[in-house]
Amino acid sequence: MFVSYASEDADWARGLASRLGRRGLHVVFDEWDVLPGDVGVHHTEAAIDSVACALVVISPASRTSPWAREEYAAWVTAGARRNLRLIPVLIGDAPLPPLAASRVWRDFRHVDGPGFEEKVDELVAAVRGETAPDGSRRSAAPGLQDNIAAAQPLPPRPLTPPDQPAVVLCYAAADAAYGQALAVQLRSAGLAVWSVADLKPGDSHVWSVQRQLDFATAVIVLMSPHSQESEDVTRMILEAMHHQRPFFPILLEGQRNYLLAHTWYVDARDGRLLREDEVGLLRDLDAASRNGASPDAMSAVIPAPTLRPAVEAVRMPAAVSLGRLDSYLAERNFAYADLQTTAIVLEAAGRLDEGWLSTRHVQRIPARVLARVDGVWADHTHGRQGWRAQAARCAVRSNRHADFLALSVACGWRSSRDALVPRSYQELTQMAGPGPRSAYYPTLRNPQNEPFSHWYDEWTSTVLAVHLRMGSGR
C-alpha cells in the first residue's frame, strides 16, 4: 500500500507507515523508497500502477498543499480507472472533504496512546479483509448505514457484477444487531449475504451498494421506524425496485415501510429470527434469481401480497415525500423520482396496500397534491416532464384502453399502438431519452405489481385515472 500525505504531516505519516509495516503490510513510503536523484512525481506514477491500496492522509495542511491536492486527485482518478482501494485517513481537525465522504474512511482525529494502536489494528484487519468470529466484516464503519446518502449521487465507474451475487440485507444503524444476527443465520443456512457491514475502507459507498443491489438475488429490508426515516434505506429500496429485485421485508417494529406496502412480509416484532419455512422461501427466491427467472416465473415464488395486512403501512407526511421527490429530481435521478411519485399518489388515495387505483379512488386525492407533484417535475425539467407535459402531447378524455394506447405512444412507453410495452420496469426506464420522449416521466408504473398477471391492467387504470383527474381541474 502507498501512504500519501502533505509534507507538514510527515512525522505522523511516518509513524503510521512504520506500524503498518511491523504488522506485516508492504508499505510504499517516499522517504524509504525514493533514492537521491529520483523524481517524486515519477515515484507516485509508478506506485499508482502497482499498488493495490492507497492511504490518503487528510489534515488541515493537506487541504492547502498544492502537491498533496494534485497527488490526491491522481489517486482519485486511478481509483475510478482500476480496482484500487483508496482509504481516506483523517487527522487533526480536518473536516470531512468530498473525497472521504464518498468512501469508507478511517478517523484518527484526536486519538493517541492505546487507542491509536487499536485504530491501527482495525485498519490492518480492514485492509486484509479479515472477518470477526460471527462472520461479519470487522472493517465496517460505525454508523455507516446512515451516512451513505452523503456520498456522491452517482457511482464513479460502470457497474460490473460482483464475484458472487448475494441476498442483500438493508437496515438502519439502530437495527444493526438484529441484522448481524440474521446474516449469521442465513450464512449458516448456506446463503450468500451482503450488507453495508461488508464495506471495506476505501470502498466507494454508492458504487458498492448499487452494484450489490442491481445484481442481488433477493433484498431483505428490516422495517422499523428507524429504517422508515433513513434516507439510505429508502434509496436502497428504490434502487432495488428499479431493477426489479425480489423483496423479502421483515417487520421488526412499528408499521410497514410505505414503499413496500404492496409486498408480502414477515412479522418478527417479537424479535425472532426466520423460521425454517421462511428460510426455505428465501432459498427459492435466491435460486430463481440465479437461474434468471422471468417476472412471470418469479410470480410462482414470490408470495402474493395480503389484501388486508395485519399491520398497516406507515403514513408519510406530504412534506417528507415531496422533499424526497425534489431531491431525486435535483440529482436527475428520474427512476427514483418516478417510483417516489407513484408512492405519493397511491398513499394520497389510500391505495398503498393495493398498489394501483381507479377513477373512483383518485377522487380521494386532494387536487393540490397532484398539482404540487406535477409542479416539482415541471420545475426541474423546464416544463418538459410531468402530467401536464404528457397531456399536451396526448390528452386523455376517457378511461378506455384506446386512450392509454395513444398516451403511451406519445410518452414513448411503446413505439406504436400495435407494439408491446417493455415487460419490466427497468427496460421501460432504459427507453427514456431526449427529443420525442421528453414527456416520458412520470410513468406511475409500479414494479411491485409486475410479477403478477394483472399488472398491465392496473397500470393502465392508474395512469388514466390520474390524467382524467388532472384534466378535470377538480
Side-chain angles (χ1 to χ4, degrees):
M1 62 164 50
F2 186 93
V3 180
S4 176
Y5 60 95
S7 58
E8 293 86 343
D9 302 318
D11 290 343
W12 191 95
R14 187 185 309 109
L16 176 64
S18 297
R19 286 172 170 82
L20 295 175
R22 288 197 296 269
R23 287 164 170 82
L25 295 180
H26 180 195
V27 181
V28 179
F29 191 68
D30 57 0
E31 290 185 0
W32 305 338
D33 298 279
V34 178
L35 299 176
D38 286 350
V39 179
V41 67
H42 295 163
H43 173 71
T44 301
E45 290 175 350
I48 284 175
D49 291 330
S50 62
V51 301
C53 177
L55 298 183
V56 180
V57 179
I58 297 175
S59 70
S62 72
R63 294 175 63 82
T64 58
S65 167
W67 166 249
R69 293 171 67 178
E70 285 187 21
E71 191 168 82
Y72 296 167
W75 285 112
V76 171
T77 301
R81 177 169 51 85
R82 69 181 184 87
N83 189 23
L84 172 73
R85 293 175 60 189
L86 186 60
I87 305 177
V89 175
L90 273 62
I91 67 173
D93 293 316
L96 190 66
L99 166 65
S102 65
R103 296 180 183 273
V104 182
W105 46 278
R106 275 291 179 263
D107 192 350
F108 277 80
R109 292 174 292 188
H110 314 299
V111 177
D112 54 20
F116 186 88
E117 299 299 333
E118 290 179 6
K119 285 283 188 181
V120 174
D121 288 337
E122 291 176 5
L123 179 58
V124 171
V127 170
R128 289 174 171 164
E130 295 175 357
T131 56
D134 64 359
S136 63
R137 291 278 184 181
R138 294 196 298 189
S139 59
L144 178 63
Q145 293 86 347
D146 293 330
N147 294 329
I148 297 174
Q152 298 170 355
L154 295 177
R157 52 188 181 272
L159 293 172
T160 55
D163 294 336
Q164 182 182 29
V167 174
V168 174
L169 184 53
C170 306
Y171 53 84
D175 301 321
Y178 182 95
Q180 291 166 8
L182 179 62
V184 171
Q185 179 193 22
L186 297 179
R187 286 171 179 144
S188 298
L191 288 164
V193 179
W194 186 93
S195 76
V196 292
D198 296 301
L199 287 170
K200 302 179 293 296
D203 286 348
S204 171
H205 301 167
V206 176
W207 186 85
S208 299
V209 171
Q210 187 172 336
R211 179 194 194 200
Q212 292 292 336
L213 286 169
D214 290 3
F215 298 97
T217 59
V219 178
I220 298 175
V221 178
L222 302 187
M223 299 188 294
S224 72
H226 309 291
S227 66
Q228 183 72 66
E229 296 171 1
S230 169
E231 180 63 23
D232 296 334
V233 173
T234 298
R235 287 173 178 266
M236 293 176 79
I237 293 172
L238 292 172
E239 183 65 27
M241 279 187 175
H242 181 205
H243 290 270
Q244 286 188 285
R245 300 295 86 195
F247 283 97
F248 195 99
I250 301 176
L251 180 62
L252 298 184
E253 181 185 354
Q255 296 173 285
R256 293 177 298 121
N257 189 291
Y258 77 110
L259 290 173
L260 300 173
H262 192 51
T263 304
W264 172 90
Y265 69 99
V266 172
D267 191 342
R269 286 176 294 169
D270 58 358
R272 68 175 178 86
L273 294 176
L274 297 183
R275 297 192 301 260
E276 184 176 346
D277 61 318
E278 293 163 345
V279 174
L281 172 59
L282 191 56
R283 277 204 195 94
D284 292 342
L285 289 175
D286 179 81
S289 293
R290 291 180 185 279
N291 292 331
S294 66
D296 290 331
M298 289 298 291
S299 65
V301 183
I302 299 176
T306 304
L307 293 179
R308 301 186 188 281
V311 180
E312 293 184 354
V314 70
R315 298 287 297 181
M316 286 295 293
V320 174
S321 296
L322 288 167
R324 286 177 171 172
L325 174 62
D326 184 76
S327 66
Y328 301 149
L329 285 171
E331 297 169 8
R332 311 291 292 176
N333 196 329
F334 292 125
Y336 285 16
D338 190 39
L339 294 167
Q340 182 71 33
T341 296
T342 302
I344 292 172
V345 170
L346 292 175
E347 183 176 36
R351 296 283 293 178
L352 278 172
D353 290 328
E354 293 77 10
W356 66 282
L357 53 82
S358 68
T359 52
R360 174 169 57 90
H361 305 124
V362 81
Q363 298 304 318
R364 305 172 187 168
I365 304 177
R368 66 179 182 279
V369 172
L370 294 177
R372 289 178 66 185
V373 170
D374 191 58
V376 175
W377 277 97
D379 289 345
H380 282 283
T381 61
H382 304 288
R384 291 191 293 268
Q385 306 264 10
W387 295 310
R388 295 188 189 279
Q390 294 173 357
R393 292 176 174 270
C394 180
V396 171
R397 306 192 184 282
S398 74
N399 60 357
R400 297 179 306 165
H401 185 242
D403 284 61
F404 180 74
L405 286 175
L407 180 67
S408 60
V409 172
C411 292
W413 301 339
R414 54 170 27 109
S415 58
S416 69
R417 285 174 174 264
D418 298 328
L420 297 176
V421 295
R423 181 63 183 86
S424 74
Y425 179 79
Q426 182 183 1
E427 293 175 40
L428 180 70
T429 59
Q430 288 172 346
M431 294 171 58
R437 298 192 178 101
S438 61
Y440 186 88
Y441 289 109
T443 71
L444 292 173
R445 185 162 162 175
N446 187 352
Q448 294 181 76
N449 293 349
E450 294 180 11
F452 309 106
S453 60
H454 41 66
W455 71 270
Y456 180 83
D457 293 337
E458 293 175 347
W459 179 36
T460 301
S461 175
T462 302
V463 170
L464 292 177
V466 171
H467 269 269
L468 287 170
R469 179 69 190 280
M470 289 290 295
S472 71
R474 296 194 302 274

